[in-house]
């Protein structure tokens, strides 16, 4: 294989581990693909392929051909817009699923109540047999419903049955339509997934109920009750949708750390073009543009300082809490913070080529990576659905052959139950969810984790050793000791220094001011700071001012040495 290219494609329509395994197999079987990892949690596929053999359009077609939906990702304009688009899609998915689940649950509740008269209706001369659940429903649930809704029991049973038929068709055709379309697509491509189980289970119950509604005489002639199970079909779809809704909500929450990382990049940059300064969207900034960054702002792009000097907080990249003094010719990284000074920066890397964008990309790839344990789940998922279908068929056969009085109703109910409860979603979601949560929590704490394999190995670690170049800090400087010379008290020194530093924006100045505030609120009782005049900041070195008529100089050793201190 020649030079490899990596691409991440969205994959819509996956609902379980079997879906994930199906897409993964199809991609890996495509000529020219070296690696393919499908993430069920993020609904994305990360593919490494040879561009000399195939293009990304062929990868999209390979996914669409097996019944799922994919498309080429739009060009990355900037991290904020990409993140907003992803968040908007997740929110829309959650809102649609929540609305469908809630509506289906309400309709299912009404269907359950409306089904009660049918259980003891026109065909009541046909016994319920030995089904304890039905006997319990008729003796415990039916009487209070009959007393509360006498008008419901006065409605013709045929009318009720057809009303339930219409309600079921509404739920199946609207809320649960995607289950059946995706199951059909899987069948056409000789695969099976969770949609297959749902479609077969609810479809069997619906067809059984349809025949009982349209031709009840067929059941009565066979000494069987023409019971309908429309409420079961509706509630099964509603509960699966409820699970999908909870999954969508969890997916949105687990990607919050990634969104916070992406939002570090400013959305607006102040650019000087043709002698004019203007605020423009970050997406319109190009390499070579001159970007102006004021104190307290984040650098919108990677670049080289052309003019200005001051302190830059690079802790988000280096982990070092102490700001770094920068001047002309020094490089700066997008999303780091300008703590002091004003800069003119020539943009050198924007968009997907910036350091922050590459970090976000690596984080997404890490969250989409597979831990070694995931291979076990993939192997099980590959054969899970076919095995469940075989077990359901065997269950139906046993219920028809073993009992002395076989019942088609009980056999069908048992087979449908096997199909519905055998949901592999939890197995498929467990590992990718754990990887996403762990890497997201790490990112929010400033620790970037390369992927699932590193996390799995982390479980066996009992000792962590930091080398001598590593710095473990609390993330901000603070005063730990005060040393005084003869002729000045510690209280006077702290009060005077804090008076000057309160006018400075430097992080060390903030630390001195905070130390003085802490002392004044304690037992030491530092007096209120005196008035300060003539304050002047010396970028990268310190500050000078007049305090009660005396000249005060605070700064680096070299600055103090030049002043004869």
């Amino acid at each position: 294989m020649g030079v490899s290219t990596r691409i991440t494609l969205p994959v819509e329509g996956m609902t379980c581990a079997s879906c994930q395994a199906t897409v993964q197999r199809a991609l890996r079987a495509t000529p020219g693909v070296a690696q393919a990892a499908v993430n069920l949690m993020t609904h994305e596929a990360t593919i490494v392929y040879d561009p000399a053999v195939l293009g990304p359009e062929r990868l999209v077609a390979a996914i669409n051909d097996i019944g799922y939906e994919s498309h080429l990702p739009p060009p990355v304009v900037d991290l904020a817009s990409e993140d907003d688009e992803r968040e908007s899609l997740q929110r829309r998915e959650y809102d649609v699923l929540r609305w469908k689940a809630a509506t289906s649950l309400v309709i299912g509740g009404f269907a359950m109540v409306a089904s009660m008269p049918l259980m003891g209706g026109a065909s009541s001369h046909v016994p319920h047999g030995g089904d304890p659940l039905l006997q319990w429903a008729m003796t415990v649930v039916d009487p209070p419903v009959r007393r509360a809704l006498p008008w419901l029991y006065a409605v013709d049973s045929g009318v009720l049955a057809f009303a339930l038929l219409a309600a079921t068709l509404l739920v199946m055709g609207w809320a649960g339509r995607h289950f059946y379309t995706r199951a059909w697509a899987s069948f056409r491509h000789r695969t099976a997934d969770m949609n297959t189980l749902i479609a077969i289970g609810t479809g069997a119950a619906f067809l059984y109920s349809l025949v009982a509604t349209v031709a009840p005489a067929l059941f009565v002639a066979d000494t069987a009750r023409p019971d309908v199970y429309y409420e079961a079909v509706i509630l099964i779809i509603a509960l699966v949708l409820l699970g999908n809704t909870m999954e969508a909500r969890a997916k949105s929450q687990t990607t919050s750390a990634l969104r916070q990382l992406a939002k570090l990049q400013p959305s607006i940059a102040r650019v000087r073009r043709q002698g004019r300064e203007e605020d423009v969207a970050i997406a319109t900034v190009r390499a070579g543009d001159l970007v102006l960054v004021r104190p307290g702002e984040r650098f919108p792009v990677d670049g080289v300082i052309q003019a200005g000097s001051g302190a830059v907080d690079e802790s988000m990249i280096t982990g070092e809490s102490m700001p770094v003094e920068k001047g002309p010719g020094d490089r700066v990284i997008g999303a780091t913070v300008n703590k002091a000074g004003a800069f003119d920066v020539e943009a050198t890397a924007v968009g997907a080529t910036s350091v922050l964008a590459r970090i976000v990309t690596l984080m997404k790839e890490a969250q989409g990576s597979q831990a070694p344990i995931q291979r076990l789940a993939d192997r099980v998922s590959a054969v899970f659905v076919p095995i469940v279908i075989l077990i359901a068929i065997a269950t139906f056969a046993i219920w028809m052959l073993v009992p002395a009085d076989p019942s088609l109703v009980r056999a069908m109910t048992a087979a449908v139950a096997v199909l519905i409860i055998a949901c592999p979603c939890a197995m498929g979601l467990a590992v990718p969810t754990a990887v996403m949560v762990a890497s997201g929590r790490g990112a929010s704490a400033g620790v970037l984790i390369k992927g699932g394999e590193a996390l799995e190995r982390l479980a066996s670690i009992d000792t962590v050793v930091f080398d001598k170049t590593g710095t473990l800090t609390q993330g901000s400087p603070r005063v730990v000791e005060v040393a005084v010379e003869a002729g000045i008290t510690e209280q006077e020194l702290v009060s005077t220094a804090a008076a000057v530093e309160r006018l400075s924006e430097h992080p060390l100045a903030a630390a001195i001011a905070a130390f003085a505030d802490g002392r004044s609120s304690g037992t030491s009782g530092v007096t209120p700071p005196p008035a300060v005049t003539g304050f002047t900041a010396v970028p990268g070195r310190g500050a000078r001012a007049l305090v009660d008529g005396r000249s005060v100089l605070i700064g680096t050793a070299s600055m103090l040495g030049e002043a004869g201190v």
Side-chain angles (χ1 to χ4, degrees):
M1 177 173 287
V3 178
S4 297
T5 300
R6 182 186 297 269
I7 188 173
T8 299
L9 297 175
V11 183
E12 300 175 9
M14 295 191 300
T15 57
C16 67
S18 294
C19 305
Q20 174 189 7
T22 299
V23 176
Q24 203 160 261
R25 284 197 305 270
L27 288 171
R28 289 175 177 174
T30 304
V33 173
Q35 300 176 24
V38 180
N39 191 315
L40 179 60
M41 197 67 183
T42 60
H43 287 199
E44 289 180 334
T46 301
I47 309 141
V48 178
Y49 67 98
D50 186 351
V53 178
L54 78 166
E57 296 82 3
R58 179 67 190 89
L59 297 172
V60 171
I63 297 173
N64 293 334
D65 287 346
I66 56 173
Y68 300 92
E69 299 174 16
S70 182
H71 54 82
L72 291 177
V76 179
V77 178
D78 62 82
L79 292 178
S81 62
E82 182 190 26
D83 177 71
D84 290 342
E85 177 66 20
R86 186 187 306 111
E87 188 175 0
S88 176
L89 289 173
Q90 289 180 342
R91 186 168 57 251
R92 285 201 299 269
E93 177 190 22
Y94 173 70
D95 289 341
V96 170
L97 287 171
R98 182 177 59 176
W99 170 243
K100 287 184 175 182
T103 305
S104 300
L105 284 171
V106 171
I107 295 176
F110 284 118
M112 287 186 65
V113 175
S115 297
M116 294 301 300
L118 298 180
M119 297 173 65
S123 56
S124 58
H125 59 281
V126 180
H128 282 289
D131 192 322
L133 179 61
L134 288 176
Q135 291 178 355
W136 174 84
M138 295 308 299
T139 56
V140 177
V141 180
D142 184 69
V145 174
R146 187 184 296 270
R147 289 192 297 269
L149 303 172
W151 58 269
L152 184 63
Y153 287 78
V155 179
D156 181 75
S157 60
V159 174
L160 278 178
F162 277 100
L164 289 171
L165 171 61
T168 306
L169 285 173
L170 171 65
V171 173
M172 294 176 71
W174 169 64
R177 179 175 179 272
H178 59 282
F179 295 134
Y180 305 100
T181 56
R182 291 169 184 171
W184 174 247
S186 297
F187 174 75
R188 286 192 298 109
H189 293 89
R190 297 183 294 279
T191 61
D193 55 24
M194 186 59 202
N195 297 305
T196 306
L197 298 182
I198 297 172
I200 293 177
T202 57
F206 174 77
L207 291 176
Y208 182 94
S209 303
L210 179 63
V211 174
T213 301
V214 177
L218 295 177
F219 292 81
V220 177
D222 195 34
T223 66
R225 289 181 54 87
D227 289 327
V228 294
Y229 296 91
Y230 294 122
E231 78 286 353
V233 175
I234 296 173
L235 287 175
I236 287 169
I237 293 175
L239 292 174
V240 174
L241 287 171
L242 180 61
N244 294 156
T245 304
M246 296 171 66
E247 174 194 332
R249 183 171 181 270
K251 182 170 63 178
S252 176
Q253 291 176 336
T254 53
T255 56
S256 60
L258 195 61
R259 289 198 297 269
Q260 292 171 3
L261 189 62
K263 288 185 181 299
L264 290 177
Q265 182 189 50
S267 59
I268 300 295
R270 174 163 290 247
V271 178
R272 180 181 293 133
R273 292 171 177 167
Q274 299 177 347
R276 295 175 52 192
E277 295 182 7
E278 55 181 334
D279 291 334
V280 301
I282 188 65
T284 64
V285 179
R286 298 291 179 263
D289 282 346
L290 195 63
V291 180
L292 282 66
V293 184
R294 291 164 291 198
E297 296 180 339
R298 290 186 181 272
F299 289 89
V301 295
D302 299 356
V304 177
I305 297 175
Q306 300 299 311
S309 60
V312 178
D313 180 359
E314 296 184 332
S315 58
M316 62 156 288
I317 299 294
T318 64
E320 297 283 354
S321 59
M322 286 296 295
V324 180
E325 297 296 333
K326 298 279 188 176
D330 292 333
R331 301 189 65 86
V332 290
I333 300 172
T336 57
V337 183
N338 176 15
K339 302 295 290 187
F343 295 98
D344 291 352
V345 179
E346 180 184 348
T348 58
V350 295
T353 61
S354 67
V355 171
L356 181 62
R358 294 202 298 271
I359 290 176
V360 171
T361 300
L362 289 173
M363 279 291 302
K364 290 174 61 179
E365 292 175 358
Q367 291 188 338
S369 66
Q370 289 188 320
I373 196 174
Q374 182 71 28
R375 301 189 191 105
L376 174 62
D378 290 345
R379 286 196 297 270
V380 174
S381 301
V383 296
F384 189 91
V385 174
I387 289 177
V388 168
I389 293 175
L390 290 176
I391 293 175
I393 295 173
T395 301
F396 179 84
I398 291 172
W399 276 89
M400 290 299 295
L401 297 175
V402 174
D405 55 339
S407 169
L408 177 65
V409 175
R410 285 198 294 271
M412 182 71 71
T413 303
V416 170
V418 171
L419 292 171
I420 296 303
I421 66 173
C423 176
C425 291
M427 177 182 63
L429 285 172
V431 176
T433 302
V435 172
M436 289 192 68
V437 171
S439 57
R441 289 289 298 274
S444 63
V447 180
L448 303 183
I449 301 170
K450 293 184 66 175
E453 184 174 359
L455 281 171
E456 191 168 330
R457 292 175 60 190
L458 191 63
S460 61
I461 293 176
D462 56 15
T463 304
V464 179
V465 179
F466 295 91
D467 67 21
K468 60 183 178 60
T469 61
T471 302
L472 304 181
T473 72
Q474 294 182 338
S476 59
R478 62 186 179 90
V479 177
V480 296
E481 183 181 359
V482 180
V484 297
E485 295 287 344
I488 186 172
T489 65
E490 180 177 324
Q491 175 177 327
E492 186 181 3
L493 174 64
V494 172
S495 177
T496 302
V500 176
E501 296 291 43
R502 281 191 174 89
L503 302 179
S504 174
E505 57 194 10
H506 197 281
L508 293 183
I512 294 173
F515 176 75
D517 291 339
R519 291 278 298 268
S520 63
S521 62
T523 57
S524 299
V526 174
T527 58
V532 179
T533 58
F535 174 85
T536 303
V538 183
R541 307 191 71 189
R544 58 168 57 92
L546 293 176
V547 179
D548 289 340
R550 293 184 300 171
S551 177
V552 176
L553 189 64
I554 302 175
T556 63
S558 61
M559 179 179 173
L560 297 179
E562 293 174 4
V565 178

